[in-house]
Amino acid sequence: MNAFPFPRRDRRTRRRGFSLVELMVVVLIIAILMSLTVAGARHFMTKAFESKTRQHLKTIELALEKYHEANSEYPKSTNGSKELYQALTGDTDMDGRISSDQERQSGNYLPELLVPGDGKSLQGWIEVRGKERRIIDAFGEELQYRMPGEKNAAYDLWSYGTDKKKQSANEAKWIKNW
């Protein structure tokens, strides 16, 4: 009879585990696949943000045409999207709603921009900074508007897109109406 409570296994029947090298190869493969997935997701997110920003610009261009039809001119701009917001919504006191008769008479050409309170609109169009409201793109950056335009006769409307430096040398990254 055997002195041990469990039967002894000889070397031929013993189960063999994974070696450290095999485990490291598996971990390396998983890391490579994860990095490819993250890079691909980042690329598609950027493309989605660019598409959403293009759609915002087209919607704002339509509202600017409505404004032009009603006022025979485009809104003047010396201060970017703040003045554009006021012109397209009629919200002169920048509280996110049309409350006075003067605001009602000035017209509301883009109601999606009106957001009472201190938050972002559901569509992600507005950013509130103190008492000012600015129109933003899908990247969370302020849209740019210039009237009279330098590139177009009427006005220039653009987003810097993925250009964080906001330099004209990187204009290829911009989303623009020219």
Side-chain angles (χ1 to χ4, degrees):
M1 177 165 226
N2 194 349
F4 297 107
F6 300 106
R8 289 166 74 185
R9 295 182 185 167
D10 63 4
R11 289 183 183 218
R12 285 178 269 135
T13 61
R14 188 171 60 177
R15 298 186 91 189
R16 187 174 163 253
F18 293 108
S19 72
L20 182 61
V21 172
E22 292 170 329
L23 289 174
M24 292 302 291
V25 167
V26 169
V27 168
L28 179 65
I29 290 171
I30 290 172
I32 290 170
L33 291 175
M34 290 287 292
S35 66
L36 291 174
T37 303
V38 168
R42 184 174 294 137
H43 171 76
F44 287 114
M45 288 293 291
T46 300
K47 291 297 179 191
F49 286 168
E50 288 173 358
S51 176
K52 186 175 180 181
T53 299
R54 277 190 189 84
Q55 189 60 42
H56 278 186
L57 291 180
K58 287 180 183 180
T59 304
I60 290 170
E61 287 175 348
L62 290 173
L64 283 167
E65 292 306 317
K66 288 181 193 176
Y67 182 95
H68 186 265
E69 284 180 21
N71 299 297
S72 301
E73 65 180 357
Y74 293 103
K76 301 280 187 242
S77 174
T78 57
N79 198 13
S81 70
K82 173 187 160 193
E83 291 172 337
L84 183 62
Y85 168 82
Q86 287 177 317
L88 295 181
T89 61
D91 183 16
T92 55
D93 58 0
M94 290 200 158
D95 62 354
R97 57 184 162 266
I98 304 299
S99 52
S100 69
D101 288 334
Q102 178 190 1
E103 288 179 333
R104 275 188 208 85
Q105 290 173 355
S106 62
N108 186 357
Y109 304 99
L110 195 57
E112 290 90 344
L113 297 178
L114 291 171
V115 184
D118 290 339
K120 287 187 177 180
S121 65
L122 292 177
Q123 297 86 357
W125 289 62
I126 299 298
E127 179 182 59
V128 180
R129 294 182 190 166
K131 183 113 171 88
E132 293 183 352
R133 292 171 186 272
R134 300 190 182 269
I135 304 172
I136 59 173
D137 61 12
F139 296 96
E141 299 290 328
E142 181 178 2
L143 283 179
Q144 304 298 311
Y145 171 74
R146 181 175 37 231
M147 191 326 210
E150 291 179 7
K151 305 285 184 174
N152 287 323
Y155 62 85
D156 295 338
L157 180 65
W158 75 97
S159 160
Y160 287 115
T162 57
D163 181 16
K164 298 297 181 192
K165 295 179 182 176
K166 302 175 183 171
Q167 297 174 348
S168 59
N170 298 332
E171 191 173 320
K173 295 180 179 180
W174 299 1
I175 302 165
K176 50 201 178 274
N177 72 336
W178 64 84

